[in-house]
């Protein structure tokens, strides 16, 4: 069965607007019709698009969050973990007792604070 062969059970209309999945809406009476699966490739690309959005949302680094983490938890490298620089974060943790990471994180805080959002995005969100 193709979309063209579908008939609206309410008014007998044969034109439908795709609503998503196998659901179509009759353009004449607005009734909902369960139709055939849309093209497989269309479904796949839709799924790709959604998962891509999920990934970018999950990995998006917020400058304000990074600044707060850097200021309050910078000495143990939390901002490094947040920014995806896990190896550096581990180093901060290992050398926490020397208090050197605290000094470095304060410098990083200032550098991050004075740099523009565009610069931050280029560095961590590209
Ligand atoms: Zn109809």
């Amino acid at each position: 069965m193709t979309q063209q062969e579908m008939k609206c059970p309410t008014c007998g209309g044969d034109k439908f607007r795709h609503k998503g999945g196998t659901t179509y809406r009759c353009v004449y009476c607005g009734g909902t019709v369960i139709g055939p699966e849309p093209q497989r490739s269309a479904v796949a690309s839709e799924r790709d698009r959604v998962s891509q959005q999920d990934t970018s949302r999950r990995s998006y680094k917020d400058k304000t969050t990074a600044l707060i983490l850097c200021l309050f938890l910078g000495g143990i490298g939390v901002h490094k973990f947040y920014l995806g620089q896990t190896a550096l974060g581990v180093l901060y943790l290992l050398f926490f007792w020397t208090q050197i990471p605290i000094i470095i994180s304060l410098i990083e805080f200032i550098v991050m604070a004075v740099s523009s959002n565009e610069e931050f995005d280029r560095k961590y969100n590209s």
Side-chain angles (χ1 to χ4, degrees), residues 55-71 78-84 109 112-113 115-126:
T55 313
S56 61
R57 201 180 307 128
R58 195 165 42 241
S59 64
Y60 178 79
K61 280 107 182 174
D62 179 56
K63 188 184 166 187
T64 311
T65 309
L67 279 173
I68 292 167
L69 289 175
C70 187
L71 185 62
V78 172
H79 63 300
K80 288 293 177 193
F81 289 108
Y82 176 72
L83 294 172
F109 174 82
M112 222 188 314
S115 74
S116 66
N117 285 337
E118 288 75 25
E119 224 169 301
F120 182 86
D121 283 344
R122 206 164 36 242
K123 213 167 169 186
Y124 301 109
N125 289 315
S126 55

Side-chain angles (χ1 to χ4, degrees), residues 39-53:
Q39 292 292 311
R40 205 193 136 78
S41 59
V43 179
S45 62
E46 175 82 359
R47 203 180 297 134
D48 282 352
R49 201 176 54 78
V50 169
S51 66
Q52 238 168 20
Q53 275 177 344

Side-chain angles (χ1 to χ4, degrees), residues 8 10-13 26 28-31:
C8 174
T10 313
C11 70
C26 173
Y28 300 105
C29 71

Side-chain angles (χ1 to χ4, degrees), residues 3-30:
Q3 194 176 333
Q4 283 71 37
E5 289 162 349
M6 283 162 56
K7 284 268 182 284
C8 174
T10 313
C11 70
D14 58 0
K15 281 200 166 58
F16 301 90
R17 210 176 286 276
H18 187 221
K19 277 182 72 185
T22 56
T23 313
Y24 295 81
R25 184 180 289 276
C26 173
V27 298
Y28 300 105
C29 71

